[in-house]
């Protein structure tokens, strides 16, 4: 999210058989730096257990799997990176977050995907999002994953697949095969619906990206925007954690509508000037959300 990144370093993410809750020191504030889309990639992280292609149409169709030590089965967090839907981010943004979760008994799967500028847009980006999630059914054959405890986490533009893939209407044109049931969703400082971001996306990303991503404006393809709106296409997940940071605040009316649908919605406000600190263990923003991340990902 180019102009916003340039202006404020923004833009546009562990354990044993019976993992113990981390000590309070795990959430201490030990890092006072401010991170941007490049420096967040250099935060120390654990190497993936495996780097696996989930499809073969593009080199971007791969994921990074991290599995805790021990017998399992482990709850699974599927992490979608941001980057303005246009290649400004990547799985490296989320490596420190994924490492933290895995050290605390949560398996993580971080699928990359085609974006604008890399054969992305409708339908390819959406197909990749869905295939990346669907591939966990294959991963569970070889790794001890508890597919009854799947949480989708998205950062920035990655909130779009996290919210959409938890919904009832996933679009017959772009989703094939069976997708696992999603129990919870975490939206890390990103838009819950895309329609309201048409227009603001040019300021945030430096150019219009949402209409090219979706394949038209809301007036041209209203059904797609409805599919990407959690009020009109409600999540089947029963829990939603919204982390409110540097991007525009979540719409209170939308949050109220989601709660009225029976979804347990929690909102945590963090630094309104920082977009990447929340991905880095040790920062104030991460300390504010870490307990909630573990709670929602581990819940039985």
């Amino acid at each position: 999210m180019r102009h916003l990144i340039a202006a404020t370093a923004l833009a546009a993410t562990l354990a044993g058989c019976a993992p113990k809750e981390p000590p309070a020191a795990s959430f201490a504030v030990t890092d006072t730096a401010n991170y941007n889309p490049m420096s967040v990639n250099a935060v120390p992280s654990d190497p993936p257990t495996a780097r696996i292609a989930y499809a073969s149409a593009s080199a971007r169709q791969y994921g990074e799997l991290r599995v805790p030590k021990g017998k399992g089965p482990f709850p699974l967090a599927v992490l979608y990176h941001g980057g303005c839907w246009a290649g400004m981010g990547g799985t490296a943004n989320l490596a420190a977050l994924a490492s933290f979760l895995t050290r605390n008994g949560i398996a993580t799967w971080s699928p990359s995907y085609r974006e604008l500028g890399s054969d992305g847009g409708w339908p390819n980006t959406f197909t990749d999002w869905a295939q990346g999630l669907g591939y966990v059914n294959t991963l569970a054959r070889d790794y001890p994953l508890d597919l009854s405890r799947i949480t989708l986490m998205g950062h920035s533009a990655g909130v779009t697949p996290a919210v959409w893939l938890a919904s009832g209407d996933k679009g017959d044109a772009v989703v094939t095969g069976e997708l696992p049931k999603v129990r919870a969703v975490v939206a890390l400082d990103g838009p819950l619906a895309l329609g309201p971001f048409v227009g603001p996306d040019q300021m945030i990303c430096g150019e219009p990206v949402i209409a090219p991503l979706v394949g038209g404006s809301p007036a041209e393809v209203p059904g797609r925007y409805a599919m990407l709106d959690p009020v009109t296409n409600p999540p089947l997940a029963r829990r939603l954690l919204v982390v409110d940071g540097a991007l525009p605040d979540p719409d209170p009316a939308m949050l109220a509508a989601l709660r009225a649908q029976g979804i347990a919605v929690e909102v945590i406000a963090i630094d309104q000037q920082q977009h990447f600190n929340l991905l880095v263990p040790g920062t104030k923003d991460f300390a504010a959300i870490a307990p909630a991340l573990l709670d929602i990902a581990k819940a039985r």
Side-chain angles (χ1 to χ4, degrees), residues 205-283:
C205 296
E207 60 186 347
V209 289
I210 292 177
L213 172 77
V214 181
S217 68
E220 293 167 330
V221 286
R224 293 178 191 170
Y225 285 89
M227 184 184 74
L228 297 168
D229 186 323
V231 175
T232 56
N233 184 24
L236 301 179
R238 293 297 88 193
R239 293 186 67 184
L240 171 63
L241 171 62
V242 179
V243 177
D244 175 15
L247 294 191
D249 295 343
D251 179 3
M254 176 177 290
L255 298 179
L258 293 175
R259 291 186 175 109
Q261 294 167 359
I263 300 168
V265 179
E266 178 183 3
V267 180
I268 300 177
I270 56 172
D271 192 326
Q272 300 291 290
Q273 300 300 316
Q274 301 301 329
H275 189 52
F276 291 91
N277 288 6
L278 64 98
L279 301 177
V280 181
T283 65

Side-chain angles (χ1 to χ4, degrees), residues 18 42 45 57 61 74 76 79 103 115 126 128 130 172 176 186 195 203 209 220 227 237 251 255 269 273 288 293:
S45 61
Q61 295 173 314
F74 302 103
L76 176 66
L79 311 180
R103 290 173 187 170
E115 300 173 85
F126 295 80
D128 289 0
D172 292 340
T176 59
V186 177
M203 180 195 72
V209 289
E220 293 167 330
M227 184 184 74
D251 179 3
L255 298 179
Q273 300 300 316
L293 294 180

